Amino acid sequence: MSAELKSEILTVRSLLSLTDLTIPIYQRPYKWKSDNISQLFQDLDVHQQQTAYRLGTVVFHREKEDKKHKNSLNIVDGQQRTLTLVLAIYAIIQERLAKLEREDLAEQLRSLKIKVDGFMQRQFFDSDISMRNLHQNFLEIKRIISRDQFSENHIDFLLNKC
């Protein structure tokens, strides 16, 4: 039996475009809080002039296809970051998509909307801690991205250089 290990660098846009991306039920609760959100967006702001910014590692496990799982791509490490990035893109789609001047960004977000919606519909969060933190962080992200200082360049950097 041979297992293929593959390593590659993905942009946030590429990560969130993956088909059948799932947080497995055995993962710990989502524990990031508003200070983690603030730090992430401060880092994005500080590093925005760089050609690329590494957000960290995400490890996947491909679930074999059966009747219950349709070839899921399980996130086994990097859940906190990935969920936060999904929240950020979801908030940007809700709050900023209709107002974007750059059509290339609008098109990228429109194509991600289907993937992000699908991802969120496939997830099940049994933990009250996860539900509370996801809700609070979504509100914090909406607040941050609604500021005038959060520009279309920030959105481009997040999607394509992180």
Side-chain angles (χ1 to χ4, degrees):
M1 178 180 194
S2 112
E4 178 185 333
L5 292 177
K6 192 166 94 172
S7 173
E8 64 183 287
I9 296 173
L10 299 173
T11 63
V12 168
R13 182 166 57 123
S14 297
L15 171 66
L16 299 185
S17 293
L18 293 172
T19 304
D20 297 323
L21 194 60
T22 304
I23 307 278
I25 196 75
Y26 57 78
Q27 282 287 4
R28 68 185 176 105
Y30 176 76
K31 292 193 175 181
W32 272 26
K33 297 205 174 186
S34 62
D35 57 331
N36 301 102
I37 302 302
S38 296
Q39 184 63 55
L40 172 65
F41 279 89
Q42 285 173 13
D43 288 351
L44 293 175
D45 194 47
V46 166
H47 297 285
Q48 186 183 5
Q49 301 308 316
Q50 295 179 349
T51 58
Y53 180 62
R54 185 181 169 110
L55 291 172
T57 302
V58 179
V59 177
F60 303 107
H61 173 259
R62 174 71 65 188
E63 187 81 30
K64 291 187 179 181
E65 191 168 348
D66 61 25
K67 290 181 182 178
K68 189 175 181 181
H69 300 96
K70 197 177 179 187
N71 213 13
S72 297
L73 188 59
N74 292 331
I75 300 170
V76 294
D77 186 42
Q79 172 210 183
Q80 308 289 314
R81 271 186 311 278
T82 304
L83 279 171
T84 302
L85 293 169
V86 168
L87 291 176
I89 299 305
Y90 191 69
I92 290 168
I93 289 168
Q94 279 192 351
E95 300 294 317
R96 302 288 297 271
L97 178 57
K99 305 171 200 164
L100 289 176
E101 292 180 16
R102 287 183 49 188
E103 184 55 36
D104 63 321
L105 288 180
E107 182 56 38
Q108 289 173 35
L109 289 168
R110 281 192 291 270
S111 70
L112 279 176
K113 183 179 185 325
I114 296 165
K115 299 286 187 176
V116 170
D117 286 345
F119 173 82
M120 292 306 286
Q121 289 173 8
R122 285 190 307 276
Q123 305 318 303
F124 175 74
F125 301 101
D126 194 26
S127 163
D128 289 340
I129 293 168
S130 292
M131 295 300 290
R132 182 176 48 255
N133 290 337
L134 287 164
H135 178 73
Q136 291 301 317
N137 288 347
F138 183 66
L139 295 176
E140 177 66 12
I141 291 168
K142 283 175 66 169
R143 188 183 66 73
I144 291 169
I145 64 155
S146 295
R147 294 179 184 155
D148 289 339
Q149 299 91 327
F150 190 79
S151 68
E152 292 187 13
N153 288 337
H154 287 93
I155 296 170
D156 184 30
F157 183 72
L158 176 60
L159 286 173
N160 300 302
K161 296 182 181 175
C162 292

